[in-house]
Amino acid sequence: MDDTNSSPETFSAQPADRTEVVMAPPADAPAPKRSRTRGWLIGGGAVLAAALLAGGGIALGAEIADAADEDDTTSSVSDDRSDDDSTDGASASGDASNLGTDSADDLVAMIDAASAAGEGEPTSIDLKRDGSAEVTLEAADGAETEVRVDSGGEASVVSTESADDDGAPQNVLDADTIAEIVDAALAEADGRIVEIEADDDSTSPWNVTVLTDAGEFVELDLDAQFAVVATGTETDD
């Protein structure tokens, strides 16, 4: 009897071709978490943008309101200026039926009333649309006094300016001079005298404004002999 024990051979059988199987994650696996930092940045940016837009809207509204206030102020100033000029003789439009005169005696009477109310020699007279007049008196020391004479002949001092270095006026409006000026001016432009002014210019010491029936203001410069040396025209607009 053969005592020799044959030991069984041990071996592992492996398939010739191996296939790797990749397991899919379970269907209910949790989704990846978003970064909390990124979410905070996005939300903070939106809040900041909204704040900036709100601030810009407030600033823009303030600028629009300021512009509107400025327009209102400009409009108010313009209206006030128009009201102030409405009584001026030759510088504003309106009813001119009482403006000016073709009588030298009327001018002399107004100047005499002004001279009795203030000090100085008459150097100008400016007639107004309400029938009144403003007369300028200049004293020997150069001081000027404005006197208003109403349509009834009552005179009152409006203002007085202190003396200056000009001294006494070289040309004044006395009765004879006014008569000469009125004759010369109305011979050149038929109408009514609305202003006469004397200055120290030796070439044309007399400046006259005449309102014609056509509504034109004719400005005349007269020389020392009352001859017309220059003319200009402005309509009553």
Side-chain angles (χ1 to χ4, degrees), residues 14-91:
Q14 293 184 357
D17 295 328
R18 288 190 308 171
T19 301
E20 256 182 58
V21 179
V22 179
M23 300 297 292
D28 56 351
K33 294 182 180 180
R34 290 195 309 170
S35 171
R36 187 174 298 176
T37 303
R38 181 179 178 184
W40 183 89
L41 289 175
I42 293 175
V47 172
L48 179 59
L52 290 176
L53 287 175
I58 294 172
L60 179 59
E63 290 182 3
I64 293 174
D66 291 343
D69 291 341
E70 290 178 2
D71 290 343
D72 290 341
T73 303
T74 304
S75 176
S76 175
V77 171
S78 299
D79 291 341
D80 292 342
R81 189 184 300 116
S82 298
D83 291 340
D84 291 341
D85 290 344
S86 62
T87 59
D88 195 19
S91 65

Side-chain angles (χ1 to χ4, degrees), residues 7-184:
S7 298
E9 294 182 5
T10 301
F11 62 92
S12 61
Q14 293 184 357
D17 295 328
R18 288 190 308 171
T19 301
E20 256 182 58
V21 179
V22 179
M23 300 297 292
D28 56 351
K33 294 182 180 180
R34 290 195 309 170
S35 171
R36 187 174 298 176
T37 303
R38 181 179 178 184
W40 183 89
L41 289 175
I42 293 175
V47 172
L48 179 59
L52 290 176
L53 287 175
I58 294 172
L60 179 59
E63 290 182 3
I64 293 174
D66 291 343
D69 291 341
E70 290 178 2
D71 290 343
D72 290 341
T73 303
T74 304
S75 176
S76 175
V77 171
S78 299
D79 291 341
D80 292 342
R81 189 184 300 116
S82 298
D83 291 340
D84 291 341
D85 290 344
S86 62
T87 59
D88 195 19
S91 65
S93 60
D95 183 13
S97 59
N98 292 327
L99 178 58
T101 180
D102 59 0
S103 170
D105 292 339
D106 290 345
L107 296 171
V108 171
M110 293 178 188
I111 288 176
D112 286 346
S115 297
E119 297 184 0
E121 297 291 338
T123 57
S124 72
I125 179 170
D126 184 6
L127 281 66
K128 305 298 181 181
R129 294 175 185 271
D130 61 358
S132 65
E134 288 186 359
V135 179
T136 300
L137 306 175
E138 291 189 23
D141 60 359
E144 291 188 2
T145 300
E146 295 290 335
V147 181
R148 186 174 185 86
V149 182
D150 64 22
S151 57
E154 295 293 328
S156 58
V157 174
V158 175
S159 64
T160 300
E161 294 185 5
S162 59
D164 55 28
D165 297 333
D166 292 340
Q170 297 181 16
N171 300 295
V172 299
L173 298 176
D174 55 36
D176 292 339
T177 298
I178 291 175
E180 293 281 2
I181 291 173
V182 170
D183 288 344

